[in-house]
Amino acid sequence: MADNNIDFELVNKFNAGDEAAFNKIVLKYQQKIYWHARRMTGNHLDADEVVQEVLIVLYNKLKSFQFKSSLYTWIYKITSTRCINYLKKRNLKQIFSLEDSETKIVRSRDDVINDIEMKEKLNKLEKALQKVPVRQREVFIMRNFDEMSYEEISEITGKSVGGLKANYFHAMKKIMELVKNYENE
Amino acid sequence: MKTNDEVVKYIDNQMSPSERIDFENEMKNSIELQKKLSGFKKLMQDINQLKSIELDESYFASTIPKFRSRREVLRKFVLFPKLTFGFASILAVALLFVISISRTGRNVIIQKNNIVVKDTSSSEMSSLLDPASDQFNIGYVTKDEEASFDSLMNSVMTKELNLTPSDLSYLSPDQNSDLSTMLHNINDKEADNIYKEILSRRFFER
């Protein structure tokens, strides 16, 4: 509740012309935006691109935010939409071969994680997650990484709880298959 | 043997209490089931570890400056919408002008024995073709051409019906009559007989 009040104040300050209030909002939520984007896209450079897109949307639309949901839910909704749009564009680029395999190698090298062991684990998981369809991947990430309930996910994605359960079920099944390879690696 | 579906239900807490007890009892005796679950537990442990992974702090410190500079670039574009619109309009007008110029004087290309006509109206076409109209002879057939058509027709009929020159004179009693008069004089029965004869020779005797 207190968190919501702080957000309310920050949004009002920003709408009154205080640019520093926007910086505070970004500092508060940037890690969450980044990590959702990173898990969805599977690499740092794409995640960084999504973060910048989200911040631009956030900046332009914050004036129209009416606190019908929490700021976090609203930001998460923007992030989720941006990620899906970004992945669609990326897939199109890959179909038309505008991005070669060399670029992908450069992408994986360019990272901001210093712990090598964790980096390896993350890369392995990212690789497995990229094999899961986008909508299923999204539910899997929200359930397991962000520990969201189906109702919260439903509010963000606009999908029915039943549909989300089905998506999660399929994602888990796929992950179960991938776990075999995951263990062997 | 429990399927993956049931394992997923168990992991996602979608089982009723009795189903859960059954599942756990079966798991005690099934090595494969235990393997599946241990693999998944390992994955979940890794996920939990990865939740608290630390990033290079300088990255997050650079997010806002990067956003600000990007926004500045976007703002410059937004600041000059009228200029952009004006530039686009000039470009469109120039393009239309170039297209209209390229359309004039390219209607007809006449080479020796070869005329190429492009995007020409009917009046333009008439004015272009009138000077050469005497070479086309579309409306009337000259006497020489009529004789040549008769000769061609005779040779075709002779070949089709395997006729001798005397048979041909029977078929064409009046050599001077033109083809239309000859066809006009043939009654329906004769025409039908000729047609049947041609068909029968063409398809059954070859």
Side-chain angles (χ1 to χ4, degrees), chain A residues 6 9 18 25 58 76 82 94 101-102 115 119 122 124-125 127 139 152 177:
Chain A
I6 294 168
E9 261 180 46
D18 183 358
I25 293 170
L58 195 64
Y76 209 122
R82 287 284 126 191
Q94 279 166 355
S101 51
E102 218 171 278
D115 188 330
K119 194 173 172 174
L122 182 69
K124 219 184 272 184
L125 183 70
K127 223 167 133 186
V139 183
E152 284 171 312
E177 290 299 315

Side-chain angles (χ1 to χ4, degrees), chain A residues 24-49:
Chain A
K24 283 178 187 166
I25 293 170
V26 174
L27 286 171
K28 190 174 174 188
Y29 291 109
Q30 64 177 348
Q31 294 220 17
K32 282 173 179 161
I33 299 170
Y34 174 83
W35 277 115
H36 183 74
R38 169 94 192 222
R39 285 156 194 155
M40 285 296 285
T41 59
N43 68 73
H44 168 69
L45 285 184
D46 286 342
D48 182 45
E49 191 59 34

Side-chain angles (χ1 to χ4, degrees), chain B residues 33-46:
Chain B
L33 204 54
Q34 286 170 15
K35 255 187 173 178
K36 273 184 189 175
L37 275 170
S38 72
F40 196 80
K41 274 180 187 168
K42 188 177 178 296
L43 176 74
M44 286 300 156
Q45 273 174 4
D46 285 349

Side-chain angles (χ1 to χ4, degrees), chain A residues 19 22-23 30 34-35 48 52 59 112 118 121 143-144 147 150 168 172-173 175 177 182, chain B residues 4-5 7-8 11-12 39-40 43 46 49 51 53 55-56 59-60 63 66-68 70-71:
Chain A
E19 288 287 319
F22 183 77
N23 291 355
Q30 64 177 348
Y34 174 83
W35 277 115
D48 182 45
Q52 290 299 322
Y59 191 91
V112 285
M118 292 297 255
K121 272 185 185 177
R143 284 283 287 164
N144 293 308
E147 293 166 6
Y150 284 117
Y168 185 68
M172 290 286 264
K173 261 173 82 174
I175 296 281
E177 290 299 315
Y182 186 84
Chain B
N4 271 353
D5 290 9
V7 177
V8 172
I11 293 163
D12 195 29
F40 196 80
L43 176 74
D46 285 349
Q49 273 187 324
K51 278 178 195 170
I53 194 166
L55 282 187
D56 190 343
Y59 167 67
F60 286 120
T63 310
K66 199 174 169 182
F67 160 71
R68 294 280 173 196
R70 190 181 265 217
R71 207 188 141 266

Side-chain angles (χ1 to χ4, degrees), chain A residues 21-107:
Chain A
F22 183 77
N23 291 355
K24 283 178 187 166
I25 293 170
V26 174
L27 286 171
K28 190 174 174 188
Y29 291 109
Q30 64 177 348
Q31 294 220 17
K32 282 173 179 161
I33 299 170
Y34 174 83
W35 277 115
H36 183 74
R38 169 94 192 222
R39 285 156 194 155
M40 285 296 285
T41 59
N43 68 73
H44 168 69
L45 285 184
D46 286 342
D48 182 45
E49 191 59 34
V50 172
V51 170
Q52 290 299 322
E53 281 186 18
V54 170
L55 294 188
I56 287 167
V57 175
L58 195 64
Y59 191 91
N60 292 334
K61 292 197 171 178
L62 208 52
K63 280 189 169 63
S64 63
F65 179 59
Q66 292 172 331
F67 282 94
K68 285 179 182 170
S69 64
S70 71
L71 184 64
Y72 172 61
T73 305
W74 189 66
I75 291 173
Y76 209 122
K77 207 182 278 187
I78 294 170
T79 311
S80 158
T81 313
R82 287 284 126 191
C83 280
I84 288 167
N85 289 348
Y86 188 85
L87 289 170
K88 279 181 193 165
K89 278 191 264 175
R90 192 175 75 178
N91 287 344
L92 273 176
K93 276 184 195 169
Q94 279 166 355
I95 288 168
F96 292 107
S97 301
L98 292 174
E99 190 176 69
D100 53 16
S101 51
E102 218 171 278
T103 319
K104 282 178 196 164
I105 294 163
V106 173
R107 275 173 193 280

